[in-house]
Structure formats: C-alpha cells, structure tokens
Amino acid sequence: MNRIHVIDSHTAGEPTRIIVSGGPRLQGGSAAEKLEFLRQRHDLFRSAVVNEPRGSDVLVGGILVEPANKSCVVGVIFFNNVGYLGMCGHGTIGVIATLAHLGRLKPGEHKIETPVGIVTATLHEDGTVSVANVPSYRKAKGVTVEAPDIGVITGDVAWGGNWFYLVENQGKAIQLSDVEMLTDFSWRVRKAINAQGFPEVDHVELFGPPLGAGAHSRNFVLCPGKAYDRSPCGTGTSAKLACLAADGKLAEGEEWIQESVVGSRFTASYRRHGDQIIPTITGAAYVNAETTLLLNESDPFCWGLRQNGHAG
Ligand code: PYC
C-alpha cells in the first residue's frame, strides 16, 4: 500500500492537487528532465492521482520536486487527466497557497522551476498571489481553419507556457449553461487547427464580452483532456496578453481583467521582454483538503480510470 500525502485547493474555481510527499523518486536534473522520467516510468502514478475514482477530469495535479536552479524555492511538474502541462497559472497560485498553508513560505517573492522555465510568484499579505510567467508570444496571427459542422473560424496561435488557439467573436455566448456546446465547438476547432499545421496546440480559448463590472473579457478554455478550465486560465490569459500586446491593444503595465466562464477573475498585466512579453497574473487560491491517497495494487482501479476506458 502506497500512501501519498496531497493538499487540494482551488484557484478561481479550478482545482489543484499538490503531492507533498509519497510520490516516486524522479531522476534527472531540471524539472523538464524529471517530467520526462515521470512520463516514461511513472505515468500510471499521474493517472492514479488525478483520474477517477480518486480525482476527476477537471483536476490538475502537481508534484513538487527538488529544483536544479538553486535560486528556486521548489520545482513543480503539473499534469492532468491525459498528460503533462508545461506551466499552469492557476496551479502555481495553488502551489504557493499550499506551501503557505504548510508554513513553508512567507509573503514575498519566490522563484519556482517548471519544465518550461522559471516563474516568480509573489505571495501578498492578503493571501493573493501574482505569478510572473515565462516569456509569452504570439506565433501566428489570423489563422483560418474550417471545422466540420462549424465552418470557417479565424484565431491566433500563441504561447503562454502552453499552446493556445485564441478565437474572438465566434458568435457563441460564454455562459455556464452552454458549456456542453462550447466544449463540443472547441473540440472540433482544436482538431481543425491541429490538422492545419499546428499540432502543438492543445488548448482552445474562446472570448466574448464580460458579464461582470470592470472586467475586459470573458473566456472559455478547453483543456487537453476535454475538461474546461473553471478559472480564466493563467497560461491562457498570458497568451491573450501576448496577442493584445502584439496588436498594440494593451500597453505595458496596463491592467487586464479576464473573467472565466464561471465568472471568476484574474487580473493581469505585462512587461516587454525583447519581442516577447512577461505576463503577470494575479489571483487567489483556497486550500480545501489535506489528505492521504491510498494506492492499493489489489484494487482494479488503483491506477485510475483512463480516457481510453482502461483501468490500470
Ligand atoms: O491556469 O494555466 C492555467 C491552466 C492550464 C490548464 C488549466 N489551468
């Protein structure tokens, strides 16, 4: 029986499960190398932690690792129901809230190593967290795709720590009552953009007018395993800022309030970094469970129910 100590939190409604102890020993120096070791040797562990019956498709997991870069307080590898994430904005806010809950961090600046670079998280006195993300940029503007039963869609491809296809004004209201339709729409769009020369895109982000006062935009973000992000998505908001900056629609240091499909918010801004930007995303996470997962190999669903329908 393996015992895995985890702390669960949510950031703007999106859940994060951080493995604090009991995970596999990961060989490799950097977080990127450790991710490859986890993927090659212990992928079932990922599934056991986040998939049903212990988790759900919505859950993002993170395993804390020894950072190779000693300026970092910790390293983290994020994963979901189908694989691994380069970075995760809501998850990083969850990591900081988790470490603060454990008494391992005080308010101030803390560097965190991720597989795609070092991010700087600031824990504020009021418990909110600002994450200065990895350099973000737009790769392609105005990419038109034709999706079955949808027609022609135009959007931008951008990097914010993960790859996004960002679509404005797709004619659909971004509302919680329509998430099934938005999921189906975004999934078709994702297949179309992948087929059209952008196989790296694994998140689709749709935008519409905000519903809440003071917000600039509302989004729906479809994640790689077909779950939608309950938060405004930290890496997705970073990709959005890269596009706004490239179009001259948001000045350096100006505030952007991104609302999610559930109505939660991140506040964001950016500074220039050569021809890329460094976005900063601010939000709050709340710890809501501290528990021990039991991995009993005689349980037929010990390693989680995977999307291909297989147990273990
Ligand atoms: O906040 O960056 C994010 C994120 C990625 C996937 C789910 N949330």
Side-chain angles (χ1 to χ4, degrees), residues 14 60 85 87-91 162 203 223 229 231 233-236 266:
E14 178 75 353
V60 170
L85 291 164
M87 223 306 272
C88 182
H90 93 268
N162 295 298
H203 292 73
C223 297
D229 197 334
S231 86
C233 191
T235 52
F266 285 158

Side-chain angles (χ1 to χ4, degrees), residues 235-274:
T235 52
T237 300
S238 298
K240 172 70 176 172
L241 260 55
C243 296
L244 289 167
D247 286 334
K249 289 184 176 165
L250 187 74
E252 194 170 6
E254 203 180 328
E255 199 169 79
W256 179 265
I257 298 180
Q258 185 64 57
E259 196 177 70
S260 74
V261 66
V262 308
S264 59
R265 291 172 172 210
F266 285 158
T267 301
S269 62
Y270 74 86
R271 66 180 164 82
R272 293 202 179 277
H273 179 75

Side-chain angles (χ1 to χ4, degrees), residues 14-16 31-32 35-36 38-39 43 46 50 57-63 76-92 113-117 159-164 190 200 202-203 221-225 227 229 233-236:
E14 178 75 353
T16 309
L35 183 159
E36 276 319 311
L38 181 60
R39 192 203 308 270
D43 193 53
R46 170 193 61 76
V50 290
D57 283 355
V58 187
L59 191 54
V60 170
I63 182 164
V76 62
I77 299 164
F78 291 110
F79 47 85
N80 59 22
N81 53 341
V82 292
Y84 299 86
L85 291 164
M87 223 306 272
C88 182
H90 93 268
T92 303
E113 187 175 303
T114 79
V116 293
W159 169 258
N162 295 298
W163 282 107
F164 291 82
R190 178 181 158 185
E200 69 275 35
D202 56 3
H203 292 73
V221 181
L222 190 68
C223 297
D229 197 334
C233 191
T235 52

Side-chain angles (χ1 to χ4, degrees), residues 98-151:
T98 295
L99 294 176
H101 170 79
L102 290 170
R104 291 200 202 162
L105 289 183
K106 296 225 171 325
E109 256 189 32
H110 307 282
K111 288 193 184 340
I112 298 183
E113 187 175 303
T114 79
V116 293
I118 293 172
V119 302
T120 304
T122 304
L123 174 62
H124 303 288
E125 292 288 347
D126 65 358
T128 60
V129 178
S130 298
V131 180
N133 196 4
V134 294
S136 301
Y137 62 98
R138 178 164 68 188
K139 179 176 181 179
K141 177 180 167 68
V143 180
T144 295
V145 299
E146 185 153 5
D149 298 327
I150 291 180

